[in-house]
Amino acid sequence: MTGGGPGHSGMACLTPLVNLHLDPEGWVTVCAANKREPLGHVADAPLLDLWRGEGAARFRSRFVDGGVSGGCEMCRWQQATAGHDAMYARIYDHLDASEPAWPRHLELTLSSACNLQCVMCNGAFSSSIRLHREGLPTRPSAYDDRFFEQLPPFLAHAETAKFLGGEPFLAPENLRVWELVAELSSKPACHVTTNGTVFNRRVAELLDAVPMSFAVSMDGATAATVERIRAGARYVDVVANLDRFAAHVERNGTSLSLTYCLMTENWHELADFLLFADDRDLPVFVNTVTSPTRLSVYHRPPGELAAIVESLDRIDEEVRARLGRNRAVWDDQLRRLRSACEAPINDGEVPVHFPGFVHPPKVPVPRSPSADEAEAELVAWSGGGAVAQLVVDPTGRIASVEGDLPGVHLGRLHQLGIDELYLWLQSALGRLDGSTYLRHAPEAGDRILFFAGAGERTEVRLVSGADADQTAWWRVASRVAPT
C-alpha cells in the first residue's frame, strides 16, 4: 500500500505530511477518513504545536516504508476490493511533501451550519438534523478569536484550502477565513463543496473577492430523487445555482465539478447523472458511502448487491457509448461494485466510517452476558429503573423500540442503522464510557440491545462489542446521576 510524491515514494500515504483537517468539534487530524488518532484539539494547544508536535511525529513515523495507522481501514478495504488507485489516500498524491513544516493542503470543516437534512448525514455535519431529527441543542463554535489569529501563516503556506460542511456558505467561521485569504499576497487555491442551495448577493460579492472552485453535491438525476435524499433542497434552485457557479468559474479560470454519494437511494440514477454532467462538461466525483449501513450499497446482502450489479451491467454497453468525459467514472464504479460482489462486506471486511467523530467504537469485549444477567445488572445499576430494548435485525437496522427512558428519546432511533445509534449517542451525550450489555437471540437471527434509566437527571454509559460472528453492537444504560 504505497503512494507517491516528491521524495516519499515509499510511503503508503502522503496525508500525514501534507494535510491538516479540522472538524466542527475542534479536533485536528491529518485525514477526513481517519479520526481515530487526532493530533489534538484546538482548545488544548496552538495549531502549529499540534502540527509539529511529538504526537504528530509519532503518527507520521508509522507511515514510513509503507506502514499505516490503526484508523486506515477505509483505504485498506478500498485497496483490497478495488485496487491501489481506488484508495482515498490517492487524492493527496499530487501535493509536494518535501517540506512538511507546514501543511500544503487544508481541509476546513469549521461548522455544521446547514439548511438541509440529507438522509445519509447526521447532526455532526448538519445543524438542521441536530435540531429537527436528533432533538439536540445547537452546538457552540469550537473556533474562537485565538484560533483565527493563528491561521494566516497556514493559509500563506498552503497550496489549497478546501471548505467542507455543513453548508460552507452558511458558516460565519468560513467568512472569517475568506476575509483572511483576501488579505494575503500569496493565496491558497480555495475549493468549496456546497449543497448548491445558497447563492445570494453576499455570496456573489465574496466570489469576486476570493476566486474559488466548487463541487456541487446533488446525488440524483431527477428532482424526486434529489429532493428525497437532500431534504430541504429544491432541484430547480440547485440547477439554477449550478449555472451561476459555472459563470463564476468561467470568469475566474477556476473549476466546477459535481459530487455523487452512491447509495441504495440513487444507484439506479448514476448513469443519468453522469450523462447530465457530460452535457455540461463537468467532471463527477463519486463518494463511497459506508455509513449509515442501511444506505450503503456495499453493505447490502450479497444477493441484493449482485442484483444491483446485474442491473447496471445490462445498460453498461449503452451508457459507455453515450458517455464522454465521465466514462471512466462509470467504468470505475462498476468495477468497484463487481469486486465487492466477489468479496462482500457483510462478513466484516468492510469498514463502517463514522464521519465527524474521533473515537469510533471498539470491538470485541471479553464476555457477553446472558439476557437475564444483562437485565438484572442494568436494573441494579440504574437503581431500579425501567429497562428498554432495541431489536436490531441482521442487516444492522433497528427494527423495533420497546419501552422508553426519561431523558433519552429512543423513538427517534426506530428504523435507523446501528451505526447511526452510536453517532446519535455521541452527538447527544458527548463523551461516553462504561458498561452495557447484549442479549443475543440466534434462533431469531436478531441482536437485542438493552437500555436502562430513571429520573430527570440521567447518567448514560456506553460500551461497544461484537457477537461471535463479529457483528458489532452497542449497549447503553442510564440512571439518575449520583449527587
Side-chain angles (χ1 to χ4, degrees), residues 53 164 189 201 214 218 231-232 236 244 260 265 269 281 289 324 339 371 458:
L164 306 166
R201 185 170 66 180
F214 309 95
M218 291 184 65
V236 64
R244 295 185 177 100
Y260 199 82
E265 301 290 294
E269 290 191 4
D281 195 29
V289 174
S339 297
T458 58

Side-chain angles (χ1 to χ4, degrees), residues 312-322 330 334:
L312 298 177
D313 274 336
R314 281 196 294 270
I315 62 173
D316 181 34
E317 187 174 342
E318 175 193 351
V319 171
R320 294 189 79 257
R322 296 176 61 191
W330 170 263
L334 205 47

